[in-house]
């Protein structure tokens, strides 16, 4: 079992956040071992303003709020940035079973920590940590293990279509799994590719 540990310190050297992950189903890879298509696929589908925001996507929050009101105050659309998702997955492991109040409290904590982390880590460091800790179904944590599980190859050798398959899983690792739910994954993969095209990552 490998262990991945990253502490975020403030200017005085105090720990403001700790990103910890461990498990036999994670193989850590550095960002230069992850194809740009895979990096762009995650950004395109999960956080299109990743390279511009400071950890919180105000535009995304407003959009989610407007859409929620338009659908009778039924808020199904999230506005979490990749930075917030990184925090949620590593610091709040019990978020699946939380109450509505706990969810609101966690969201506030996520936003606070996201602002802190964005001051201490580069976008590249955040993206690398995210892509090595994200749950990608079938017991896979991180893109390298997912690439080996689903395509029997290293992440660096993935094609564009394969990158889109893996990025598509993130929203719901069980419902969008390409092994158990290939049709659902295929639909989401098309959305990933469409977003990548619209955002200028691919032609």
């Amino acid at each position: 079992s490998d262990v991945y540990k990253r502490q975020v310190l403030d200017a005085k050297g105090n720990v403001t956040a700790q990103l910890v992950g461990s498990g036999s189903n994670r193989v850590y890879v550095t960002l230069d071992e992850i194809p740009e298509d895979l990096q762009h696929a995650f950004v395109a589908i999960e956080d299109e303003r990743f390279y511009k925001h400071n950890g919180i996507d105000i535009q995304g929050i407003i959009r989610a709020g407007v859409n929620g009101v338009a659908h009778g105050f039924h808020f199904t659309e999230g506005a979490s940035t990749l930075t917030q998702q990184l925090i949620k997955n590593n610091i709040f492991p019990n978020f699946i079973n939380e109450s509505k109040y706990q969810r609101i409290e966690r969201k506030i904590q996520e936003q606070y920590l996201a602002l802190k982390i964005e001051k201490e880590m580069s976008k590249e460091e955040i993206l690398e940590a995210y892509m090595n800790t994200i749950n990608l179904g079938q017991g896979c944590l991180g893109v390298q293990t997912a690439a080996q599980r689903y395509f029997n190859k290293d992440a660096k050798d993935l094609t564009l279509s394969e990158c889109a398959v893996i990025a598509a899983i993130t929203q719901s690792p069980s419902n969008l799994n390409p092994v158990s739910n290939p049709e659902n994954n295929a639909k989401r993969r098309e959305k990933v590719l469409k977003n990548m095209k619209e955002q200028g990552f691919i032609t």
Side-chain angles (χ1 to χ4, degrees):
S1 171
D2 65 24
V3 176
Y4 166 67
K5 182 175 182 179
R6 180 66 185 254
Q7 291 181 330
V8 181
L9 309 177
D10 62 20
K12 297 180 180 179
N14 300 312
V15 177
T16 58
Q18 186 161 285
L19 309 177
V20 180
S22 65
S24 58
N25 290 327
R26 178 184 291 120
V27 178
Y28 194 90
V29 286
T30 57
L31 202 61
D32 61 3
E33 297 174 283
I34 300 172
E36 284 193 353
D37 280 339
L38 188 54
Q39 299 174 40
H40 294 159
F42 276 100
V43 170
I45 197 65
E46 292 294 322
D47 187 1
E48 64 180 286
R49 284 174 288 277
F50 173 69
Y51 293 106
K52 299 176 183 176
H53 64 62
N54 63 350
I56 300 173
D57 182 10
I58 301 299
Q59 282 182 253
I61 292 170
I62 293 171
R63 183 202 67 232
V66 169
N67 288 343
V69 171
H71 289 88
F73 293 90
H74 185 57
F75 297 92
T76 58
E77 188 175 341
S80 290
T81 63
L82 292 185
T83 312
Q84 287 176 254
Q85 291 182 44
L86 174 64
I87 293 165
K88 178 180 71 176
N89 292 331
N90 289 275
I91 299 177
F92 302 106
N94 297 319
F95 69 88
I96 295 173
N97 300 315
E98 65 192 1
S99 66
K100 187 173 183 179
Y101 173 79
Q102 289 172 323
R103 182 176 185 273
I104 294 171
E105 183 180 39
R106 170 181 56 82
K107 281 288 185 182
I108 294 169
Q109 291 173 323
E110 274 180 22
Q111 291 173 352
Y112 171 78
L113 289 171
L115 292 171
K116 290 281 189 181
I117 285 175
E118 290 264 355
K119 290 179 181 178
E120 303 293 335
M121 294 171 69
S122 69
K123 291 290 186 180
E124 290 73 21
E125 289 173 321
I126 291 168
L127 188 58
E128 181 178 301
Y130 170 85
M131 297 185 80
N132 277 285
T133 57
I134 191 70
N135 177 7
L136 292 168
Q138 301 271 311
C140 299
L141 297 175
V143 297
Q144 175 66 6
T145 307
Q148 292 172 339
R149 170 68 183 89
Y150 300 122
F151 299 109
N152 197 31
K153 59 171 70 173
D154 289 333
K156 64 182 178 60
D157 297 321
L158 293 170
T159 66
L160 170 60
S161 181
E162 291 165 348
C163 289
V165 166
I166 289 177
I169 301 169
T170 312
Q171 186 184 49
S172 179
S174 57
N175 293 330
L176 295 171
N177 189 284
V179 174
S180 56
N181 291 295
E183 292 183 2
N184 291 348
N185 181 275
K187 289 178 184 177
R188 184 71 173 171
R189 180 194 64 182
E190 291 302 313
K191 173 66 173 170
V192 173
L193 292 170
K194 181 182 177 184
N195 283 18
M196 291 179 77
K197 182 176 181 293
E198 290 176 350
Q199 294 170 36
F201 291 126
I202 58 174
T203 61

